[in-house]
Each structure stands twice: as C-alpha cells, then as structure tokens.
Amino acid sequence: MKRISTFKHFAALLLIVSIFAPSALFAQASRDEVYAAIRKEGMERSTIMNSLHFLTDLYGPRLTGSPNHVNSARWAAREMLNWGFDKGELEPWQFGHPGWVLERAVGLMQRPVQDTLTFEVLAWTPSTKGVVITEAVNMVLPDRPTQEELTTYFESVKDKVNGKVVLVGKPGVIPVNFNPPAKRISDDVLQRRFDPNNQQPQGPPFTPSQQPATPAKPDALTGAQVSEQLDAFLVANNVAVRVNDAGREHGQIRAFNNRTFDVNKVVPTVVMRNEDYGRIYRLVERNTPVRLEFDIRTRSVPDGVTSYNVIGEIAGTDKKDEVIMLGGHLDSWHAATGATDNAIGCAVMMEAARILKAIGVKPRRTIRVALWGGEEQGLLGSQAYVKRHFGSAENPGPDFSKFGGYFNIDSGTGKIRGMTVFGPPEAAAILREATAPFADYGFMGVIATTSRNLGGTDHTSFNNAGLPGIGVQQDPIEYGSHTWHTNLDTYERIIEDDAKKSAIIFAAAVYVLAMRDDLLPRFKAGEMPPPPAARN
C-alpha cells in the first residue's frame, strides 16, 4: 500500500510539473531558448489566418462608427480573453460623427445596351430616392476656376443636370505599366536603409500616385472651395446620382468619404471603375443617349459618434505598472474587407502576444495589445488614447514615464524587414540586438528617428507625444499598387508565411522590452526634439 501511495504522489507531482512547467521554464530560460519556443509556437500553432477570417470574412468592412467595426472589436476582445489574457475590453473615444452603413448598391446600363456597372459608394452619402432610372450627363469644370468662372459654368449647365446621373470630370487616362514595382525590397537596399552609421531620410513604404500640379492663377479658388460649391450645386439642382471616376487600372476602385460626414450636404455618390466610367463618358460626349439605373440604400448610425479601441493585456509581474504596447488599426474602408489594411496587422499583433502567453512567459512589464479605431479618418483612436493615458513630453500624465514602447504594423501582408524607433541611438541599439537573430527571416535592422511628425499610421501618435513609437518597414508585395484602400483588399491577398514570421519577430522584440531591467532609453532632459508646428 505504501508503494502505491508513493507512486500516486509521484504521479501527482508529474501532473503539477506538467501544468506549471512553462512558467518555471521561462522564469529561468535563456533568451535563445525563449526565441526557439517563440519560433516553434509561431510557425506550428499560428492563429493568424483564423483571426483574419473572422475579421474579414465574417465582419467584413469595418468603417469607423459602423456596427461591423464594433462587432469585430468585441470579437477581438473576447478572443484575447479566450487565449488567457488578463484583459480584453473596448475603450470608448468620441468620433463625433454618426456611423454609416451601405445596405444595397446596384447600378445598370439600360441603354444603348444592357450591362452591369462596377462601382463603390462614397461613404457618408445618402440613398437614392428609390430606384432611379434616368439619363447620364457629363460635367467638366473649368480648371482652377475663379469664382466668376465657376458661377458662369454652373449657370450654363444647371438646366441639363436636374434629375440626372452626372459624371463629374473627364475619365482618367491610365497608361500601361511596363515597369511594375517589385514585391520584395532587395537586401542591399535595406542594409543601407537600416545601417545606423549611414542613415538617410526615408519616405513612406509606398507613395500614392499624384496628379501633376496645375500652376496657380490669380484669384483661383482652392480645391476645397470648388468641391464645397460643387456639392451645394448638385444638391440644389436635384441631381439623382453623382459619379466619380476611380481613375485606376484593371477595375481598382478607391472610395473614401464625403468630407463633411453630413449626408444632407451631398447627393448619392459612387466611384466607378475607370473602364465603365470612360465608356459612358465617351458615349455621352458623342451624343449617344445613355440611360442608367441605380438603387443605393445607405443608413446613418447615430451611436457611431462613439467609437472604440480594443485593449488586451497580459499582466506583468514585478514591473506591472510599466507597459509595452503593440498593435495596429482595426477600422477599414468599405470597398472590400480590409485584409491588408489592416486586419492582417491586427491578427499579427494579437498573435505575437498570444505566442508569449502560450509558451508560458511571465513578463515583468505588462504587455498591452491595442487595436485602434478611426485610423483612416486621421489616427483619431490612437491620438485619443495617448492623450488620455500618457499626455505628452510637454504635458506628461502620470503614466508617461512608465511607457516602454509601442510597436505598430500597417503596410499590408509583407513581412517586416526593419524597424524605426523614436528615441536616441541607444534605443535602436537595444532593439537591433534583440532582433538580430532573425536575419534568416530577412530582418535587416533598426534605426532611430527624431521626427515627431504626425501622419501615416498610429505609431506616430506616440512619436508626436515624445514617446517611443516603433514603426516597421515591410515588403510591399501588392500593397501600394493594388490593395491599399481598394476593392481588392481581401483575405486572398495575404501571404501566411510572411505574417507568421512578422508575428514571431514582434513577439521576440516585445519579450526583450518586457523583461529587461530598464525601460527603453528616452531622450534626456533638454534633448527632446520639439513638436512640429501646428497645422493651419
């Protein structure tokens, strides 16, 4: 009996060890052992594509202020709690505009032949008055008009547009691209870019196409003034539908929003693919009558004035009042399901934190995941969060000194190839050493920046406040050329292996900052770069 009892005690001890082994292991493990466990967990048991499926396929477009955004945020918070996080919740902030939902959008050509049209509805624009069937007309405004020129033009066309579908502007001429951009950045370019001894100012990971600037003329109205008067003219003259040219190749469409967020100040508006727009424009221009049919149904959401950031946490131990953050923006535009911008970023950052939880890391500092709302309208969610929780270098809050860095990702599916941290060179050196073992994943290094300019994506909300925001350089894949803000931004455009490797690198970097004795170095007193001048 005694021998059996001893065996039972031994079996119970094995069970206890098996339960608590991860915690015990990672309290004593070397960094190499932790990194090996991170790699194994991230490559063999990844949840990234599952998270991406829910955020894109199930919840779809996640426009700020919409029920889709709120529901996806609730799902993300629940999922992190299911993984064993200590916190998973929504934190409100004031968007200040009602939400907007597109419920139906049908567009057809009835004459001279029958055909289906491809377009996206501009956000925060109204429904049509039922099913609209009417003729198309073209409007081409004078280039950079004075007030007199614009008024004269409006008077000349007002009798032609009443009750019609109006195409505004000439169709764009999109040349064939004989030199498409590379999908990967070459190692030699990145080695120069992330060489701390040879830093050159770097631009964004891609540059949106720009129209050539038109020389100014005396008394010309600004673009904003022309747009405001055009909107008012179309409303006053009972235009049934406004059509804008997408002006992009191969059916790509980018549809943003009515800049006023007030559906009463604009007519129903669609952005049509260049191929359909050009066809209709040419027919009308050559005096062939074109009859179109539209049925657009949209809905305002009053509750959308309050939006949300998702916050998930793994509580720290001896330094739990200090925090290391990572995240990306959850909101998206509405033309597609927002996979590369930025559901994949959210899935990667959730995964990075999940990996650390799954392998039993007990971080000294609290690890906090943030999925922002309102990024697409101007980094609104992250700015509100930083102001509320941290303040700024000029007006610091109680937690300003306890912040240890925020990692951000927001440039598509490509794996991360380097990082930029706001802070002194010592901050970059720490992250460079932490990420050096991932050269086999194509990671090339870390450099420091002194810029507090706000823009681009959410880590600049931290930089702007004088806090260590950490942005990343990713392989572009098809982000700037195909998926950024377009109707092609879907689940199918994701490269799973790239996303897994990004999550692994982030997990390792977060682990280092969460476990080291000191916070990431900051600029010393008197060395903080000044904030940028306020914009007019």
Side-chain angles (χ1 to χ4, degrees), residues 475-489:
D475 277 328
I477 310 300
E478 299 167 331
Y479 190 62
S481 60
H482 291 77
T483 67
W484 178 65
H485 294 170
T486 77
N487 55 325
L488 307 183
D489 189 6

Side-chain angles (χ1 to χ4, degrees), residues 43-84:
M43 294 305 293
E44 296 181 6
R45 288 177 287 277
S46 174
T47 65
I48 288 174
M49 300 307 286
N50 182 66
S51 295
L52 184 75
H53 161 68
F54 277 90
L55 294 176
T56 60
D57 295 336
L58 180 59
Y59 295 108
R62 302 172 303 282
L63 196 65
T64 300
S66 70
N68 285 14
H69 177 255
V70 176
N71 291 333
S72 67
R74 289 172 176 161
W75 175 85
R78 289 195 306 270
E79 188 73 349
M80 287 188 281
L81 288 174
N82 291 339
W83 292 340

Side-chain angles (χ1 to χ4, degrees), residues 25-35 38 324 326 352-353 355-357 359-365 367 407 431 434 438 503-517:
L25 171 63
F26 289 110
Q28 305 295 329
S30 70
R31 184 183 295 185
D32 287 347
E33 290 171 322
V34 175
Y35 277 19
I38 288 173
I324 309 300
L326 66 164
I355 289 170
L356 297 178
K357 182 68 177 179
I359 66 174
V361 166
K362 297 294 183 184
R364 300 179 68 187
R365 295 181 178 85
I367 296 172
F407 296 86
L431 286 169
F438 297 96
I504 288 168
I505 296 170
F506 280 123
V510 168
Y511 169 78
V512 169
L513 295 195
M515 300 299 283
R516 60 192 310 272
D517 289 337

Side-chain angles (χ1 to χ4, degrees), residues 140-264:
V140 180
L141 276 63
D143 187 43
R144 294 296 305 275
T146 63
Q147 184 61 66
E148 181 180 2
E149 290 170 339
L150 186 61
T151 301
T152 299
Y153 177 75
F154 284 157
E155 285 294 319
S156 71
V157 299
K158 68 179 184 179
D159 293 335
K160 301 176 184 178
V161 301
N162 192 285
K164 301 298 193 294
V165 174
V166 175
L167 281 67
V168 177
K170 295 180 179 180
V173 178
I174 314 301
V176 173
N177 188 351
F178 289 101
N179 297 291
K183 292 178 171 55
R184 301 278 188 197
I185 305 174
S186 66
D187 289 354
D188 60 333
V189 168
L190 288 167
Q191 286 168 349
R192 292 192 298 271
R193 185 171 297 176
F194 290 97
D195 180 354
N197 300 312
N198 185 33
Q199 290 187 36
Q200 298 294 326
Q202 300 298 325
F206 69 94
T207 302
S209 59
Q210 302 286 338
Q211 295 295 326
T214 302
K217 62 183 180 182
D219 301 323
L221 298 170
T222 65
Q225 289 172 325
V226 172
S227 294
E228 183 177 0
Q229 292 189 47
L230 175 59
D231 286 338
F233 170 80
L234 298 177
V235 170
N237 288 277
N238 194 36
V239 167
V241 178
R242 172 179 175 171
V243 183
N244 297 335
D245 177 23
R248 296 186 61 79
E249 65 180 0
H250 305 316
Q252 294 180 27
I253 300 171
R254 286 179 178 154
F256 298 115
N257 63 282
N258 155 30
R259 70 193 183 284
T260 71
F261 296 92
D262 185 345
V263 297
N264 297 309

